[in-house]
Amino acid sequence: MTENQPRVFPPDFLWGSATASYQIEGAAAEDGRTPSIWDTFARTPGKVHAGDTGDVACDHYHRWQDDIRLMAELGLGAYRFSVSWSRVQPTGRGPAVQRGLDFYRGLADGLLERGITPAITLYHWDLPQELEDAGGWPERETAERYAEYAQIVGEALGDRVSMWTTLNEPFCSAFLGYGSGVHAPGRTEPESVLKASHHLNVAHGLGVQALRSVLPRNAEIGITFNPGVIRPRTDSPDDVDAARRIDALQTRIYTGPVLHGGYPDDLRRDTARASDWSFLRDGDEALIHQPIDFLGLNYYNPTVVSAPTGGEVVSRNDGHGSSAHSPWVGSEDVEFHLAAGQLTDMGWVIDPTGMVEMLTRFRTEVPNLPLYITENGAAFEDKVDAAGAVHDPDRIAYLHGHLAAVHQAIEQGADVRGYFLWSLLDNFEWAYGYSKRFGVVHVDFDTLQRTPKASARWYAGVAASGRLPATS
């Protein structure tokens, strides 16, 4: 295919967009919802930019019908959203709050009425605060409580929703929440990172079992990772080994047991000083290794690493926020370097070749497992002009480049079934508060008015035709 020809996607390719509950819902104390770790973290002075919280966010809890109409206008084929655990099961234990479940029932029904496939993520980082008070993800009981929660939601929505994701990016929950402390709950405990990672993996295994017990046979269950595309700064053996170490921590600590039934030996050697891994019980790896129907993959940018360069300060441009505490357990001296190229407003390099690299990796690693891009997008400084429009050519160019990369991977044999653009709406961007805009729909956070950006209209055209134009 020449570059001046449009790229045609498979006719059944799923075109969607994605959000997360705490980032958009608001209604933080309504209808029985209790605080999650992100409510607590956001209200802790100095943790989130400008003291922003998700108390109101995009007010999607009250405006979901308008938001679905907007999705329909944009021709989305699917919408990936997460369930707020503390809205459904406020203490993380016991019976569900029906008002919470009714919100998600109504949302799913509204999507189906518009011909939009609902895709549920059960956990997108917002652990009920009561479970964190009992120890959080470093405690095995949290995984057991998660399985009960998964069964509750599966029973309530299994007749409406056929696409289920157990966890979103467990790396961020464990390494950023319990290692660097830049995400909720803000702890900085190296061994807790490994315990949390393991119990998130156990939660996935138990969650798949719980969902299988209540969902129809045709339901599809998967998990979403944010695999590192880790590149050594040079081809020296030391830099190559640094890349191996970081790949073990960001990717293989999850893909090893989930996809292959065991933790990598090199990971356990690398982290031996931080933990003896006594939290790993006999049978756990088999429990985690449940059959799944698809793998969700999130991609934003590649990572460049090196062995220690000998400077007084370790360079850690890892893209995961600033902290005095390294999340990289056992590999704290590995250095991270800013790659050359255009940057997004997050300071992340724009490099679609990493998308191809990631997809071809999993094409080889799990050749019979369908793949979805469950998140991909970019933050830019978008503004509404005098005419009330938002022109965002940089985002259109970003999406064009990354969709071309997805198509290239499909041509190379990757079984990619769909693409979920991150994100539908400008929203609460975690520790960055409302200072970063990832949406293809602009949200005025004072009035909550929605304004589709030029990128939304562009993406709608691609989704409607199934064709990526030759140029953006």
Side-chain angles (χ1 to χ4, degrees), residues 15-17 70-79 114-117 424 459 463:
W15 298 94
S17 189
L70 191 56
M71 295 179 216
E73 289 174 12
L74 297 178
L76 293 185
Y79 174 56
R114 296 278 186 161
I116 301 169
T117 297
L424 178 68
Y459 184 63

Side-chain angles (χ1 to χ4, degrees), residues 10 17 20 61-62 88 103 121 149 168 170 183 200 206 224 252 271 299 339 397 427:
S17 189
Y61 189 75
H62 298 116
V88 166
F103 168 70
T121 300
Y149 157 69
N168 179 78
H183 277 195
L200 283 156
L206 291 172
T224 284
R252 291 184 287 120
T271 57
Y299 174 79
N427 53 47

Side-chain angles (χ1 to χ4, degrees), residues 380-397 437 439-442 451-458:
F380 294 104
E381 292 188 35
D382 305 316
K383 293 181 172 59
V384 180
D385 67 17
V390 181
H391 298 283
D392 54 345
D394 287 341
R395 182 172 289 104
I396 292 173
R437 293 182 176 273
V440 291
V441 175
H442 182 277
T451 303
K453 304 174 188 178
S455 60
R457 305 300 184 194
W458 179 89

Side-chain angles (χ1 to χ4, degrees), residues 209-358:
Q209 290 181 335
L211 289 172
R212 296 273 184 223
S213 74
V214 297
L215 292 180
R217 293 179 64 88
N218 65 342
E220 295 186 331
I221 303 171
I223 186 171
T224 284
F225 297 132
N226 56 326
V229 177
I230 313 297
R231 295 170 174 171
R233 193 180 193 190
T234 72
D235 58 4
S236 74
D238 287 346
D239 284 0
V240 170
D241 189 62
R244 175 200 62 76
R245 296 175 73 98
I246 299 305
D247 182 68
L249 290 170
Q250 183 166 350
T251 303
R252 291 184 287 120
I253 193 172
Y254 304 107
T255 60
V258 170
L259 301 180
H260 307 297
Y263 286 101
D265 290 338
D266 63 323
L267 167 72
R268 296 186 62 173
R269 288 193 302 270
D270 292 345
T271 57
R273 286 186 299 171
S275 176
D276 62 4
W277 283 70
S278 58
F279 51 79
L280 174 59
R281 298 182 184 177
D282 289 345
D284 276 358
E285 289 164 308
L287 167 63
I288 296 165
H289 185 45
Q290 296 294 316
I292 56 175
D293 303 299
F294 67 89
L295 179 63
L297 299 171
N298 296 351
Y299 174 79
Y300 291 96
N301 61 293
T303 300
V304 178
V305 300
S306 73
T309 57
E312 292 184 8
V313 179
V314 173
S315 172
R316 202 166 77 236
N317 288 307
D318 60 12
H320 296 302
S322 177
S323 170
H325 302 271
S326 172
W328 305 104
V329 181
S331 295
E332 292 87 353
D333 58 349
V334 169
E335 301 210 8
F336 292 75
H337 305 276
L338 193 62
Q342 182 186 353
L343 303 180
T344 70
D345 196 32
M346 293 291 289
W348 299 344
V349 71
I350 300 173
D351 186 349
T353 66
M355 176 77 85
V356 181
E357 188 175 331
M358 178 187 72

Side-chain angles (χ1 to χ4, degrees), residues 371-452:
L371 308 175
Y372 287 87
I373 296 300
T374 37
E375 285 184 30
N376 175 240
F380 294 104
E381 292 188 35
D382 305 316
K383 293 181 172 59
V384 180
D385 67 17
V390 181
H391 298 283
D392 54 345
D394 287 341
R395 182 172 289 104
I396 292 173
Y398 178 99
L399 295 174
H400 188 280
H402 286 79
L403 284 170
V406 172
H407 190 273
Q408 181 181 339
I410 292 172
E411 287 186 314
Q412 294 177 7
D415 185 11
V416 187
R417 302 285 181 91
Y419 175 93
F420 291 82
L421 184 156
W422 186 270
S423 178
L424 178 68
L425 304 170
D426 289 338
N427 53 47
F428 177 86
E429 183 48 39
W430 308 114
Y432 295 94
Y434 297 101
S435 68
K436 307 296 182 186
R437 293 182 176 273
F438 274 90
V440 291
V441 175
H442 182 277
V443 177
D444 182 316
F445 293 113
D446 293 323
T447 66
L448 299 174
Q449 179 177 342
R450 276 78 159 141
T451 303

Side-chain angles (χ1 to χ4, degrees), residues 124-139:
H124 198 132
W125 308 351
D126 47 355
L127 186 71
Q129 183 61 43
E130 286 202 25
L131 291 183
E132 173 59 26
D133 291 343
W137 284 111
E139 297 298 323

